[in-house]
């Protein structure tokens, strides 16, 4: 059962998406940054994104979305489990200035039928993202367009009416069962603690390096993500941490001072599953 506090954070995210969808190009960068900030503040949304990102390749999907014939167009994926990470990564790219929003709109969303390019972008990209989030967490009705994987997540999120005590007992039982498994079948507590410690060490090194970064316009966003990663380490929140590491990889490419450290952070995550 999603907590009232989390539902409030998710509602803030939906409202931020609504502001962008119903607004104009002016202040669009601020509104995109607000959406990303709301995502970062919700554990539920980051957990969902982390699950969707496990087998997701943004570069490949971004290339597929660019249609050349009969005219330049941009078509995002249709599957809900791809829409979520795709839109998130796209907004990150725009927020980090790796994609120039004005040029992007001019190239793919030219003014036609009296609809301005930003409105077309917001309706075709941000609104589907917003609708999926709303359907999963805030709507009383089950969304129609869900594949098996998304439906399984939906069922877990919307029909689990166990009490907190029941959940704690179940988690305790699961933890006990996991501890009884052989090392070959599960990751030990010591390995998890070492993983979090290594990640925190690199995150702190990144924060130190950011003090000397020349591209100051990116520093605040980078520092926010890194500090959120440290919080995820302290809370042993693996799914949130892994999603942050993945998204931070694209962000850090614009910051020369931390590029190497960011790659090391990603290598730790990859090695963890090796």
């Amino acid at each position: 059962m999603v907590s009232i506090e989390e539902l409030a954070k998710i509602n803030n995210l939906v409202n931020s998406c609504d502001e962008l969808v119903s607004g104009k190009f002016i202040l669009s960068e601020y509104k995109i940054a607000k959406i990303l900030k709301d995502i970062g503040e919700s554990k539920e949304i980051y957990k969902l994104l982390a699950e969707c990102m496990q087998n997701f390749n943004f570069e490949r999907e971004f290339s597929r979305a660019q249609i050349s014939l009969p005219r330049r167009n941009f078509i995002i994926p249709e599957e809900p489990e791809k829409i979520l990470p795709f839109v998130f990564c796209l907004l990150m790219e725009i927020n980090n200035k790796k994609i120039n929003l004005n040029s992007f709109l001019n190239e793919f969303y030219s003014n036609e039928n009296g609809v301005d390019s930003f409105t077309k972008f917001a309706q075709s990209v941000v609104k589907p993202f917003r609708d999926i989030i709303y359907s999963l967490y805030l709507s009383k009705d089950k969304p129609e367009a869900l594949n098996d994987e998304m439906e399984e997540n939906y069922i877990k999120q919307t029909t689990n009416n166990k009490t907190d005590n029941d959940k704690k007992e179940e988690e305790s039982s699961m933890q006990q069962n996991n501890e009884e498994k052989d090392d070959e079948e599960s990751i030990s507590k010591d390995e998890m603690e070492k993983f979090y410690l290594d990640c925190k060490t690199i995150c702190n090194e990144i924060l130190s390096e950011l003090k000397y970064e020349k591209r100051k316009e990116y520093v605040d966003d980078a520092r926010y993500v890194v500090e959120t990663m440290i919080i995820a380490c302290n809370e042993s929140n693996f799914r949130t941490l892994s999603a942050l590491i993945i998204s931070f990889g694209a962000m850090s490419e614009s910051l020369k001072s931390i590029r190497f450290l960011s790659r090391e952070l990603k290598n730790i995550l990859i090695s963890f599953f090796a």
Side-chain angles (χ1 to χ4, degrees):
M1 200 70 175
V2 181
S3 68
I4 295 177
E5 181 182 0
E6 272 298 310
L7 287 176
K9 292 177 180 179
I10 294 170
N11 189 61
N12 288 338
L13 170 60
V14 169
N15 288 338
S16 294
C17 291
D18 285 339
E19 288 180 13
L20 187 143
V21 170
S22 62
K24 301 296 182 183
F25 180 78
I26 186 170
L27 298 180
S28 58
E29 292 186 356
Y30 164 78
K31 292 176 182 178
I32 289 174
K34 179 64 168 56
I35 289 173
L36 294 172
K37 181 175 181 294
D38 289 339
I39 291 174
E41 290 180 350
S42 171
K43 294 180 180 179
E44 286 293 326
I45 298 301
Y46 245 119
K47 180 172 67 175
L48 178 62
L49 284 171
E51 292 173 352
C52 294
M53 283 181 173
Q54 288 181 1
N55 298 308
F56 179 77
N57 186 313
F58 175 69
E59 289 76 14
R60 180 178 63 223
E61 297 297 337
F62 184 75
S63 178
R64 289 176 176 174
Q66 301 176 54
I67 309 299
S68 298
L69 296 174
R71 60 182 179 80
R72 295 291 284 171
N73 204 348
F74 193 79
I75 307 297
I76 71 171
E78 296 180 354
E79 304 92 335
E81 76 277 7
K82 286 187 177 180
I83 292 175
L84 292 177
F86 184 89
V87 175
F88 171 68
C89 291
L90 179 61
L91 295 181
M92 286 286 290
E93 295 283 281
I94 294 171
N95 188 61
N96 296 333
K97 306 298 189 297
K98 296 192 72 174
I99 293 178
N100 182 284
L101 180 57
N102 192 47
S103 299
F104 181 76
L105 295 177
N106 290 335
E107 182 175 3
F108 295 108
Y109 296 93
S110 57
N111 190 355
E112 293 181 1
N113 302 323
V115 181
D116 70 88
S117 57
F118 180 76
T119 298
K120 290 174 65 177
F121 163 76
Q123 289 286 340
S124 62
V125 175
V126 179
K127 189 175 185 299
F129 176 90
R130 176 262 183 214
D131 290 346
I132 293 172
I133 297 298
Y134 182 85
S135 296
L136 285 173
Y137 294 98
L138 303 177
S139 175
K140 294 180 180 179
D141 300 321
K142 180 180 176 179
E144 296 178 359
L146 293 177
N147 67 6
D148 292 340
E149 181 180 354
M150 292 290 286
E151 184 167 349
E152 182 180 352
N153 290 335
Y154 177 84
I155 292 172
K156 290 178 180 178
Q157 294 158 354
T158 58
T159 65
N160 187 356
N161 295 319
K162 296 176 182 178
T163 65
D164 289 340
N165 287 335
D166 289 336
K167 287 184 178 181
K168 289 178 180 179
E169 290 176 4
E170 180 178 300
E171 290 170 358
S172 176
S173 176
M174 290 176 63
Q175 182 178 1
Q176 183 177 357
N177 289 336
N178 286 335
E179 290 174 353
E180 292 174 353
K181 291 181 180 180
D182 294 334
D183 291 340
E184 294 179 355
E185 297 179 339
S186 63
I187 299 170
S188 70
K189 182 178 179 181
D190 289 341
E191 288 175 321
M192 289 299 299
E193 290 180 351
K194 184 179 186 303
F195 170 75
Y196 291 127
L197 180 61
D198 290 343
C199 288
K200 284 175 63 176
T201 299
I202 294 181
C203 285
N204 285 319
E205 291 178 6
I206 291 174
L207 290 177
S208 297
E209 291 296 328
L210 284 174
K211 297 176 183 178
Y212 308 102
E213 173 59 46
K214 294 180 180 179
R215 306 190 69 178
K216 301 298 183 183
E217 67 271 24
Y218 299 130
V219 170
D220 286 344
D221 287 340
R223 183 181 293 112
Y224 172 78
V225 174
V226 175
E227 289 174 347
T228 306
M229 280 195 277
I230 293 176
I231 293 174
C233 288
N234 291 334
E235 295 178 349
S236 299
N237 192 329
F238 181 79
R239 287 180 177 175
T240 296
L241 178 60
S242 59
L244 285 168
I245 291 174
I246 293 169
S247 61
F248 188 67
M251 173 190 292
S252 61
E253 288 300 311
S254 302
L255 301 169
K256 187 176 181 180
S257 64
I258 64 169
R259 198 175 298 161
F260 173 77
L261 288 170
S262 174
R263 290 172 182 171
E264 284 295 299
L265 195 60
K266 190 172 182 179
N267 287 337
I268 289 178
L269 179 62
I270 294 173
S271 299
F272 191 67
F273 293 102

